[in-house]
Amino acid sequence: MIGSAFNQLWQSTGLFGFLGMAEGFGVGNLVMILVGFVLLYLAIVKNFEPLLLVTIGFGCILSNIPMGYAASIDPNSGAPGFIKLLFDMGIDTGLFPILIFMGVGAMTDFGPLIANPKTLLLGAAAQAGIFVALLGALALSFIPGINFDLFAAGSIGIIGGADGPTAIYVTSRLKPDLLGPIAVAAYSYMALVPIIQPPIMRALTTKEERMIKMQQLRPVSKLERILFPLTVLTACAILLPSATPLIGSLMFGNLVKECGVTNRLSDTMQNALMNIVTIFLGLSVGSKMEASHFLNLNTLGILVLGMVAFSIGTTSGLLIAKLMNKLDPKHPVNPLIGSAGVSAVPMAARVASKVGQESDPQNFLLMHAMGPNVAGVIGSAVAAGVLLAVIPSMM
Amino acid sequence: MIGSAFNQLWQSTGLFGFLGMAEGFGVGNLVMILVGFVLLYLAIVKNFEPLLLVTIGFGCILSNIPMGYAASIDPNSGAPGFIKLLFDMGIDTGLFPILIFMGVGAMTDFGPLIANPKTLLLGAAAQAGIFVALLGALALSFIPGINFDLFAAGSIGIIGGADGPTAIYVTSRLKPDLLGPIAVAAYSYMALVPIIQPPIMRALTTKEERMIKMQQLRPVSKLERILFPLTVLTACAILLPSATPLIGSLMFGNLVKECGVTNRLSDTMQNALMNIVTIFLGLSVGSKMEASHFLNLNTLGILVLGMVAFSIGTTSGLLIAKLMNKLDPKHPVNPLIGSAGVSAVPMAARVASKVGQESDPQNFLLMHAMGPNVAGVIGSAVAAGVLLAVIPSMM
Amino acid sequence: MIGSAFNQLWQSTGLFGFLGMAEGFGVGNLVMILVGFVLLYLAIVKNFEPLLLVTIGFGCILSNIPMGYAASIDPNSGAPGFIKLLFDMGIDTGLFPILIFMGVGAMTDFGPLIANPKTLLLGAAAQAGIFVALLGALALSFIPGINFDLFAAGSIGIIGGADGPTAIYVTSRLKPDLLGPIAVAAYSYMALVPIIQPPIMRALTTKEERMIKMQQLRPVSKLERILFPLTVLTACAILLPSATPLIGSLMFGNLVKECGVTNRLSDTMQNALMNIVTIFLGLSVGSKMEASHFLNLNTLGILVLGMVAFSIGTTSGLLIAKLMNKLDPKHPVNPLIGSAGVSAVPMAARVASKVGQESDPQNFLLMHAMGPNVAGVIGSAVAAGVLLAVIPSMM
Amino acid sequence: MVFLAQLPKEQLVAQLENGVILMILGITTVFVFLTLLVFLTKAMSAIAKKIAPQKPKAVVSSPAAVTASASSASEADIAAAIVAAFAKSKE
Amino acid sequence: MVFLAQLPKEQLVAQLENGVILMILGITTVFVFLTLLVFLTKAMSAIAKKIAPQKPKAVVSSPAAVTASASSASEADIAAAIVAAFAKSKE
Amino acid sequence: MVFLAQLPKEQLVAQLENGVILMILGITTVFVFLTLLVFLTKAMSAIAKKIAPQKPKAVVSSPAAVTASASSASEADIAAAIVAAFAKSKE
Ligand code: NA
Ligand code: NA
Ligand code: NA
């Protein structure tokens, strides 16, 4: 009798599960746990977007412990695990990325964009990466072993938006199974921006272009800062209602910050609320790192396409900046700030500034690059709105 | 084929919806969005209860964007919008106003009330406005185009409680459709207290009465501060269980603050938790600003009755204070503090103090007015308990 | 007609309920409310774990107000009370204790344990109390009037884990009806550790043993602190997946704290999130203090068994420490630190230090006692994992 | 502007009668409850004085600290934090 | 490594066609929207200047303050940590 | 006081047998798990020393900082409050 109890206990060990002796578990779980440890390594040692990659990595590990049922329903008790509860609460419903976006809005300074609105076009140009990657995903599907439908392709494309919450929101709406690899790709490449972008920037610009000095930004009044989120919201309401959740929450956070009479709400959005949601969101996204959806050629395809998306976005941002200089030579734009249009706030803007100072240490581009950088956030949300409005009606 | 896709996109623009070409949307949405902007204007420029009116206003705008489905179910995907999620989570269940009330309890100092308990009667008197407005709502219903049933009348009456969370809680229980106009009326009139009350106060008191100096309040011990919330809770348990959620959460917050051994909970109740819930509650309440429930004569009736409720409450508070002076001339009460019994904490108490100083700049009434002011919060919750207990059994 | 309305109101008073005139209520509610006041007294005046006992006590009072329906469904409206909402959200699902455990992990310093890992054995030994109490519960059931099934016995045993969230988590999974008495016993005895343990400690040790000085703990590197939670997690994944929720969340919190790149998440886990969840959890647990499940001999049995569990845990911790000294005399262990293995962090460690200084005021044991103290937390979670994995399959 | 269908007159009259009852009931209850609370509070203070006679510690707090609504809390928060911090630091 | 069943070729071609449409549609919309926003922002600034002419208050804020992503809050964390450390060290 | 119906004796005996099994199983598992952890922790420390040999950075932190329960966080709260208050007051 004790023997049978010990046997019962042995059958409930993780080892039993890793060896594939329990239904639904196997060595794939072990591999995914190792992937989780790699994410922790990248986050902690390499400092890759640690807030998200620590939580995603840990969520991946917990969810892959055999018979831990942290992210699924325990078949014995019928009770959902705590990560499944969090997932159902905030990812399945889309609530968590929206709340994160409120906090992002409350942390964003649109001042540089208001001072120089034409940098919005750079933020628009850099979204080309999204659609090229989308097309690439559909093309790659001709390769045996890689299969992306239109929903998957849209989710993969949005990696090129270089904006974590937007990528998670779109994927949770279109193709939740791919949340794991897509979120990991999005955050990893955002962390890799200082490595991905500079070679492209140097290749596509001349030294003279990189030395272009831009006019100092004019001061922006408090009233303009208050009216700007309302202006964007109005444009969104008239033109693209499907972007309401993303653009609306971003602009809500920004208005709460800028209006000056709701500072306690702004403070909570940026801190307590954002941190709580980040913890829950990271664990939940990590729970989608399942062997069956991760250990296949599709994931490889996603990683390749994510890199393509970032590169194309960088390129088109740079090229449009050069085109703007041709069309309007009186107000020169340093083309390096075009690459900041991919978003990846504020990393991409810092990279633009740093590459600029290689050519002229006295040329401070950071503030100028913040314009296209935050424009890229709006641009990605607009692109997300198009994907969410059109893709479901195409299938 | 591209043409049809562009057509598809055109049919998903907000403009298409505003023009009434999409089912369920129309120019009413546009009007409600303008109402939302007016609320933002009142909040930001006129400083009308900004924490609530910014969030309600923004929630109103987002919810009225055609085909944004922020506060309803997207018919294409079947997914609820994020404001609908928040509404179902906290308003439909009644949870959010209760949590706010905990925070209010943790912010309230009942010291002045404990030092001078007879000011509780002033807080009782000022609730007359609630019931007069209730009756008024039923009377107004004889006018064609205005229709309030008993549930609506109770919800309208509670505007006279001059207490935001109480008004939202009662309305969410009795008549959720009216949440929008009732919350807006309640918060607007609370912000307008410095304009509504002084003329009534001057008209109903003589200069001698306004110059009455009151005895300095005695010190209140820590033990009394701890026992007070428990005393009120006990009275509520014995007499009026239907007020348990409101009185109970208010007194819970107050005990957590006063007991001295749970400061970290008190701090969170007043800050992180309260701010998070305020954001969620404001957006959710705003989502009830629908054209179909707002753009009719009823809303006009609600605005008129809210004003009546505040005026009657102010009047009865003043008159009872004068009566108390007649009955007990040895402990004179400055009748101006009677008007603070409507709640609208701490605005009404400040108004009492300011009007008092017009007649005698050396007469500091603020602390004396805080007694009836917080008594009004208890009084409104008691009145709410009666409405919640009796109205459903009358229909 | 007014008469009938007043009668209606009288029938909705708490008094009517206490007198047993309303179905489902009676004098038992009154007794439970008094029990709630006793808990508040213990928390506020005697300083017994105030964060939990204030909230549990208040939850008990609110839930027992007749016809307040704070923790049940109002039969008239069909709406659940706010404490029932919180209970269903976080206790029924098991989410709240898990989130608390994250915060505990983020507050725990495993340094002393890493520096002297053999103290893990002391944390193991002290779990004997859990299983002795479990057996005791089953034996006591032979007494008429006391009845515990295996689920109840497991929940009672876990009181001996001396760890609040673990006790609440296990009980919520195995026997939610007993949540009230078990949580109260667990927290009360944790507060009583300075009274329960010292006599046992003095009785089982000689003065020489109590004067044993231990080698100074070696410094622990940051890398070790990061690797430790991952090591424990790995062991848990391989051996005891059923402990994943508890061990996993504890180690997640600890990694977030120690890794150094996610401080804002760690701060929120320890403060805003932990406080919010504590408020919700305490009220919810208090709602399980129902007359029908509390006012019987079982509760008396639980209180006796809880005391037995603490005493046995203390004893076995001490005895194993003495055994370790026999087996490895070169690295002497002061047996007093063995009693800290019951957890009750950090109270038990402080008690060990204080009793040690009675014999030698220059002997500072606190840091040495923290090792077994936090080991006890891991030990209890492991024991919980066994109970959760085996008990359901035995019935 | 939406025009709502008018309720039938009998219902309106019945409602009005119920409203009058509610008013009487409500005002009575509020006054009874708060009057009772006056006496309970006085009794409570008397008991408190007996239990802890020489501890009339805090003077009723200053105007700045007296706030009970969310909107006015920001200054008060800061003030309260300073005060609390100072008080604790001097313990 | 899991090998997925290949989708039928006709579906892949149809998808690709839809993808091209999506691309044209998406890039067009993004450009139209953000171009419109350029003009709206300029108009907004002009209106703002009319409403409140002499309030060009804030210089565009310093680089340190310009952050829009969660990951960039670390400086604030560090500052808080320094301050907390100081506080502790003076105990 | 509620008197509960007595469970049948056979069930009580069966339960007790299961309880003994649980006890043996539980105590064994706890000891095996934590003993294993002793060795794993030692191995981990050895590996850590190899990876980063000259970084025995922090002395084991002071008693005041060693807390693992919710109730003991108050000092840190107070410190944070003081700091926050000061910071705000200097704005
Ligand atoms: Na972007
Ligand atoms: Na009131
Ligand atoms: Na323990």
Side-chain angles (χ1 to χ4, degrees):
Chain A
M1 205 167 154
I2 282 215
S4 94
F6 265 102
N7 189 35
Q8 160 85 22
L9 199 64
W10 152 243
Q11 293 192 7
S12 74
T13 61
L15 204 53
F16 188 81
F18 287 136
L19 296 175
M21 293 157 80
E23 208 193 316
F25 302 101
V27 75
N29 294 104
L30 192 60
V31 177
M32 290 314 299
I33 287 178
L34 294 179
V35 171
F37 277 109
V38 170
L39 293 182
L40 293 181
Y41 173 83
L42 292 176
I44 298 172
V45 181
K46 296 291 176 190
N47 221 19
F48 274 29
E49 296 279 339
L51 296 179
L52 267 297
L53 289 194
V54 164
T55 47
I56 292 178
F58 216 98
C60 169
I61 296 171
L62 289 180
S63 307
N64 276 289
I65 294 179
M67 285 160 291
Y69 304 112
S72 56
I73 289 179
D74 184 336
N76 305 311
S77 67
F82 78 98
I83 299 184
K84 179 167 172 54
L85 290 168
L86 297 175
F87 185 92
D88 291 350
M89 190 192 303
I91 302 288
D92 192 42
T93 63
L95 192 57
F96 289 163
I98 296 298
L99 295 178
I100 299 261
F101 230 46
M102 277 185 199
V104 170
M107 284 171 151
T108 299
D109 176 5
F110 285 114
L113 187 58
I114 301 170
N116 192 9
K118 76 175 172 182
T119 56
L120 276 161
L121 298 179
L122 301 174
Q127 308 315 317
I130 293 177
F131 298 100
V132 171
L134 184 157
L135 220 57
L138 298 173
L140 273 191
S141 297
F142 284 91
I143 299 174
I146 299 189
N147 280 289
F148 299 118
D149 59 13
L150 218 47
F151 292 105
S155 305
I156 292 166
I158 206 70
I159 298 174
D163 192 75
T166 301
I168 292 172
Y169 184 76
V170 169
T171 308
S172 75
R173 304 292 87 188
L174 295 181
K175 197 81 182 176
D177 286 345
L178 293 184
L179 258 176
I182 284 177
V184 166
Y187 283 104
S188 300
Y189 290 133
M190 280 162 68
L192 287 172
V193 151
I195 292 166
I196 298 172
Q197 289 195 323
I200 302 173
M201 295 160 80
R202 289 190 205 105
L204 293 178
T205 52
T206 62
K207 191 165 184 201
E208 287 67 44
E209 284 173 331
R210 293 202 291 278
M211 289 178 71
I212 291 175
K213 285 209 176 171
M214 293 177 68
Q215 293 165 276
Q216 216 199 315
L217 289 173
R218 69 170 177 85
V220 171
S221 72
K222 195 189 161 201
L223 181 58
E224 285 175 280
R225 288 169 188 275
I226 293 175
L227 291 179
F228 181 75
L230 298 173
T231 304
V232 179
L233 180 69
T234 303
C236 170
I238 293 173
L239 288 188
L240 200 64
S242 56
T244 299
L246 288 169
I247 297 274
S249 57
L250 185 73
M251 294 304 150
F252 177 54
N254 192 246
L255 181 71
V256 163
K257 172 203 170 201
E258 297 289 6
C259 74
V261 290
T262 50
N263 291 336
R264 55 180 288 163
L265 301 186
S266 160
D267 175 61
T268 293
M269 274 184 196
Q270 292 177 47
N271 294 295
L273 180 56
M274 186 149 198
N275 293 341
I276 292 172
V277 176
T278 300
I279 294 167
F280 291 0
L281 175 131
L283 290 173
S284 303
V285 168
S287 77
K288 281 287 159 186
M289 310 268 290
E290 301 157 18
S292 60
H293 290 118
F294 202 93
L295 301 179
N296 53 44
L297 280 182
N298 278 355
T299 300
L300 206 66
I302 290 171
L303 290 174
V304 170
L305 291 163
M307 175 67 88
V308 168
F310 268 68
S311 306
I312 300 281
T314 305
T315 303
S316 48
L318 286 167
L319 294 180
I320 291 281
K322 292 174 75 164
L323 178 65
M324 283 164 69
N325 277 343
K326 290 261 161 72
L327 298 177
D328 180 12
K330 282 186 202 161
H331 302 92
V333 166
N334 188 314
L336 292 177
I337 73 168
S339 67
V342 295
S343 340
V345 185
M347 191 72 91
R350 287 185 191 157
V351 167
S353 173
K354 213 176 138 204
V355 174
Q357 287 183 316
E358 288 171 9
S359 303
D360 174 0
Q362 296 308 313
N363 197 359
F364 299 102
L365 290 175
L366 185 57
M367 289 313 301
H368 297 286
M370 287 310 301
N373 208 194
V374 298
V377 177
I378 299 175
S380 311
V382 170
V386 175
L387 297 177
L388 292 171
V390 180
I391 289 182
S393 70
M394 278 183 161
M395 304 287 282
Chain B
M1 205 166 156
I2 283 217
S4 93
F6 266 101
N7 189 36
Q8 160 84 21
L9 199 65
W10 152 243
Q11 293 192 9
S12 74
T13 62
L15 203 56
F16 188 81
F18 288 135
L19 295 175
M21 292 158 81
E23 208 193 316
F25 303 101
V27 75
N29 295 103
L30 191 60
V31 177
M32 290 314 299
I33 287 177
L34 294 179
V35 171
F37 277 109
V38 169
L39 293 181
L40 292 180
Y41 174 83
L42 292 176
I44 298 172
V45 180
K46 296 291 177 192
N47 221 20
F48 274 29
E49 296 279 340
L51 296 180
L52 267 297
L53 290 194
V54 164
T55 47
I56 292 177
F58 216 98
C60 170
I61 296 171
L62 289 180
S63 307
N64 276 289
I65 294 178
M67 284 161 290
Y69 304 112
S72 56
I73 289 177
D74 184 335
N76 304 312
S77 66
F82 78 98
I83 300 185
K84 179 166 173 55
L85 290 168
L86 297 175
F87 185 92
D88 291 349
M89 190 192 302
I91 303 289
D92 191 43
T93 63
L95 192 58
F96 289 162
I98 296 297
L99 295 177
I100 299 261
F101 230 45
M102 278 185 197
V104 170
M107 284 170 151
T108 300
D109 177 5
F110 285 113
L113 187 57
I114 301 170
N116 192 9
K118 76 176 173 183
T119 55
L120 275 161
L121 298 178
L122 301 174
Q127 308 314 317
I130 293 176
F131 298 100
V132 171
L134 183 157
L135 221 57
L138 298 173
L140 273 191
S141 296
F142 285 90
I143 299 174
I146 298 190
N147 280 289
F148 299 118
D149 59 14
L150 219 47
F151 291 104
S155 305
I156 292 167
I158 206 69
I159 298 174
D163 192 75
T166 301
I168 291 172
Y169 183 76
V170 169
T171 308
S172 75
R173 305 291 88 188
L174 295 180
K175 197 79 183 177
D177 284 345
L178 292 184
L179 258 176
I182 285 178
V184 166
Y187 283 104
S188 300
Y189 289 134
M190 282 163 68
L192 286 172
V193 151
I195 291 167
I196 298 172
Q197 289 196 323
I200 303 173
M201 294 161 80
R202 289 191 203 104
L204 293 178
T205 53
T206 63
K207 189 165 186 199
E208 288 67 44
E209 285 173 330
R210 293 200 291 276
M211 290 179 71
I212 292 175
K213 286 211 176 170
M214 295 177 67
Q215 293 165 277
Q216 215 200 314
L217 289 173
R218 70 171 177 85
V220 172
S221 72
K222 195 190 163 199
L223 181 58
E224 285 175 281
R225 288 170 188 274
I226 293 174
L227 291 179
F228 181 76
L230 298 174
T231 305
V232 179
L233 180 69
T234 304
C236 170
I238 293 173
L239 288 186
L240 199 65
S242 57
T244 299
L246 288 169
I247 298 273
S249 58
L250 186 72
M251 294 303 151
F252 176 55
N254 193 244
L255 181 70
V256 163
K257 172 202 170 200
E258 296 290 6
C259 74
V261 289
T262 50
N263 292 335
R264 55 179 287 162
L265 300 187
S266 160
D267 175 61
T268 293
M269 275 184 196
Q270 292 176 47
N271 294 294
L273 180 56
M274 186 149 199
N275 293 341
I276 291 171
V277 176
T278 300
I279 294 167
F280 290 1
L281 176 131
L283 290 174
S284 303
V285 168
S287 77
K288 281 287 158 186
M289 310 269 289
E290 301 157 19
S292 59
H293 290 118
F294 201 93
L295 299 179
N296 54 44
L297 279 183
N298 279 355
T299 300
L300 206 66
I302 289 170
L303 290 174
V304 169
L305 291 163
M307 175 66 90
V308 167
F310 267 69
S311 307
I312 300 280
T314 305
T315 303
S316 48
L318 286 167
L319 293 180
I320 292 279
K322 292 174 75 164
L323 179 65
M324 282 165 69
N325 277 343
K326 289 261 160 72
L327 298 176
D328 179 11
K330 281 186 203 160
H331 301 92
V333 166
N334 188 313
L336 293 177
I337 72 168
S339 67
V342 294
S343 344
V345 186
M347 192 71 92
R350 287 185 190 156
V351 167
S353 172
K354 214 177 135 201
V355 174
Q357 287 183 317
E358 288 171 7
S359 302
D360 175 359
Q362 297 306 314
N363 198 1
F364 299 101
L365 290 175
L366 184 57
M367 289 313 300
H368 298 286
M370 286 310 300
N373 207 195
V374 297
V377 177
I378 299 175
S380 311
V382 171
V386 175
L387 298 177
L388 293 172
V390 179
I391 288 181
S393 70
M394 277 180 161
M395 304 287 282
Chain C
M1 203 167 154
I2 283 218
S4 94
F6 266 101
N7 189 36
Q8 159 85 19
L9 199 64
W10 152 244
Q11 293 193 9
S12 75
T13 62
L15 204 54
F16 189 81
F18 287 136
L19 295 175
M21 294 158 79
E23 209 195 314
F25 303 101
V27 75
N29 295 103
L30 192 60
V31 177
M32 291 314 299
I33 287 178
L34 294 179
V35 171
F37 276 109
V38 169
L39 293 181
L40 292 181
Y41 174 83
L42 292 176
I44 298 172
V45 180
K46 296 291 176 193
N47 220 21
F48 274 30
E49 296 280 339
L51 296 180
L52 267 296
L53 290 194
V54 164
T55 47
I56 291 177
F58 215 98
C60 169
I61 296 172
L62 289 180
S63 306
N64 276 288
I65 295 179
M67 285 160 291
Y69 304 112
S72 55
I73 289 177
D74 185 335
N76 305 311
S77 67
F82 78 97
I83 300 185
K84 178 165 173 55
L85 290 168
L86 296 175
F87 184 92
D88 292 349
M89 189 192 304
I91 303 289
D92 192 42
T93 62
L95 192 58
F96 288 163
I98 295 298
L99 295 178
I100 298 262
F101 231 46
M102 276 184 200
V104 170
M107 283 169 152
T108 299
D109 177 6
F110 285 114
L113 187 59
I114 300 170
N116 191 8
K118 74 176 175 183
T119 56
L120 275 162
L121 298 178
L122 302 174
Q127 308 314 317
I130 292 177
F131 298 100
V132 172
L134 184 157
L135 220 57
L138 297 173
L140 272 191
S141 296
F142 285 90
I143 300 173
I146 298 190
N147 280 289
F148 298 118
D149 60 13
L150 219 47
F151 291 105
S155 304
I156 292 166
I158 205 69
I159 297 173
D163 192 74
T166 301
I168 291 171
Y169 183 75
V170 169
T171 309
S172 75
R173 304 291 88 189
L174 294 181
K175 197 81 183 176
D177 285 345
L178 292 184
L179 258 177
I182 284 177
V184 166
Y187 282 104
S188 300
Y189 289 134
M190 281 162 68
L192 285 173
V193 151
I195 292 167
I196 297 172
Q197 288 196 323
I200 303 172
M201 294 160 81
R202 289 190 204 105
L204 292 179
T205 52
T206 63
K207 189 164 185 200
E208 287 69 41
E209 284 173 330
R210 292 200 293 276
M211 289 177 71
I212 292 175
K213 286 211 175 170
M214 294 177 67
Q215 293 165 277
Q216 214 199 315
L217 289 173
R218 71 170 176 84
V220 172
S221 72
K222 196 190 160 198
L223 181 58
E224 285 175 281
R225 288 169 188 276
I226 293 174
L227 291 179
F228 182 76
L230 298 174
T231 304
V232 179
L233 179 70
T234 304
C236 171
I238 294 173
L239 287 187
L240 200 65
S242 57
T244 300
L246 288 169
I247 297 274
S249 57
L250 185 73
M251 294 305 150
F252 177 53
N254 192 245
L255 181 70
V256 164
K257 172 203 170 202
E258 297 290 5
C259 75
V261 289
T262 51
N263 291 336
R264 56 180 286 164
L265 301 186
S266 160
D267 175 60
T268 293
M269 275 185 195
Q270 292 176 48
N271 295 294
L273 180 56
M274 185 148 199
N275 294 341
I276 291 172
V277 176
T278 300
I279 294 166
F280 291 0
L281 176 132
L283 290 173
S284 303
V285 168
S287 76
K288 280 286 158 186
M289 309 268 290
E290 300 157 20
S292 59
H293 290 118
F294 202 93
L295 299 178
N296 53 44
L297 280 183
N298 278 356
T299 300
L300 206 66
I302 290 171
L303 290 174
V304 169
L305 290 164
M307 175 66 89
V308 167
F310 267 69
S311 305
I312 300 279
T314 306
T315 303
S316 48
L318 287 167
L319 293 181
I320 292 279
K322 292 174 76 165
L323 179 66
M324 281 165 69
N325 277 343
K326 289 261 161 72
L327 298 177
D328 179 12
K330 282 187 202 160
H331 302 93
V333 166
N334 188 313
L336 293 177
I337 72 167
S339 67
V342 295
S343 342
V345 186
M347 192 72 90
R350 286 183 192 159
V351 167
S353 172
K354 213 176 137 202
V355 174
Q357 287 183 317
E358 287 171 11
S359 302
D360 176 359
Q362 297 307 313
N363 197 359
F364 298 102
L365 291 174
L366 185 57
M367 288 314 299
H368 297 288
M370 287 310 301
N373 208 194
V374 298
V377 177
I378 299 175
S380 312
V382 170
V386 175
L387 298 177
L388 292 172
V390 180
I391 289 181
S393 69
M394 277 180 162
M395 304 287 283
Chain D
M1 188 73 82
V2 183
F3 270 91
L4 305 164
Q6 186 68 3
L7 292 172
K9 198 162 184 186
E10 310 85 76
Q11 190 186 329
L12 290 174
V13 173
Q15 282 188 172
L16 206 54
E17 286 172 10
N18 278 329
V20 173
I21 294 171
L22 257 177
M23 187 179 189
I24 297 170
L25 211 65
I27 294 184
T28 312
T29 308
V30 170
F31 264 97
V32 168
F33 192 95
L34 295 201
T35 306
L36 185 80
L37 220 47
V38 173
F39 293 107
L40 284 176
T41 305
K42 285 185 176 173
M44 177 277 284
S45 287
I47 292 167
K49 213 166 283 172
K50 270 198 189 159
I51 297 174
Q54 61 280 64
K55 280 186 186 169
K57 206 157 99 185
V59 178
V60 169
S61 49
S62 73
V66 175
T67 60
S69 100
S71 56
S72 55
S74 46
E75 303 99 325
D77 282 349
I78 295 162
I82 294 171
V83 167
F86 262 96
K88 290 261 174 175
S89 68
K90 296 202 173 168
E91 275 178 14
Chain E
M1 188 72 80
V2 183
F3 269 91
L4 304 165
Q6 186 69 2
L7 291 173
K9 199 165 183 184
E10 311 83 76
Q11 191 185 328
L12 290 173
V13 173
Q15 281 189 173
L16 206 54
E17 284 173 10
N18 278 328
V20 173
I21 293 171
L22 257 177
M23 188 180 189
I24 297 170
L25 211 64
I27 293 185
T28 312
T29 308
V30 170
F31 265 97
V32 168
F33 192 94
L34 295 202
T35 306
L36 185 80
L37 221 47
V38 173
F39 293 108
L40 285 176
T41 304
K42 285 185 177 174
M44 178 276 284
S45 288
I47 293 168
K49 214 166 284 173
K50 271 198 190 160
I51 298 175
Q54 62 279 66
K55 279 186 187 170
K57 208 157 96 185
V59 178
V60 170
S61 49
S62 74
V66 176
T67 60
S69 100
S71 57
S72 56
S74 44
E75 297 102 325
D77 284 349
I78 294 162
I82 294 172
V83 168
F86 260 96
K88 288 254 174 180
S89 68
K90 298 206 171 166
E91 277 177 14
Chain F
M1 188 73 81
V2 183
F3 271 91
L4 304 166
Q6 186 67 4
L7 291 173
K9 200 164 182 184
E10 312 83 77
Q11 191 186 329
L12 291 173
V13 173
Q15 281 189 173
L16 206 54
E17 285 172 10
N18 278 328
V20 173
I21 294 171
L22 257 178
M23 188 179 189
I24 297 170
L25 212 64
I27 294 185
T28 312
T29 308
V30 170
F31 265 97
V32 168
F33 192 94
L34 295 202
T35 305
L36 185 80
L37 221 46
V38 174
F39 294 107
L40 284 176
T41 304
K42 284 185 177 174
M44 177 276 285
S45 288
I47 293 168
K49 214 166 285 172
K50 271 197 190 161
I51 298 175
Q54 62 279 65
K55 279 187 187 171
K57 206 158 99 185
V59 178
V60 170
S61 50
S62 74
V66 176
T67 58
S69 101
S71 56
S72 56
S74 43
E75 298 102 324
D77 284 351
I78 295 162
I82 294 173
V83 168
F86 261 96
K88 289 257 176 180
S89 68
K90 296 205 172 169
E91 277 177 14

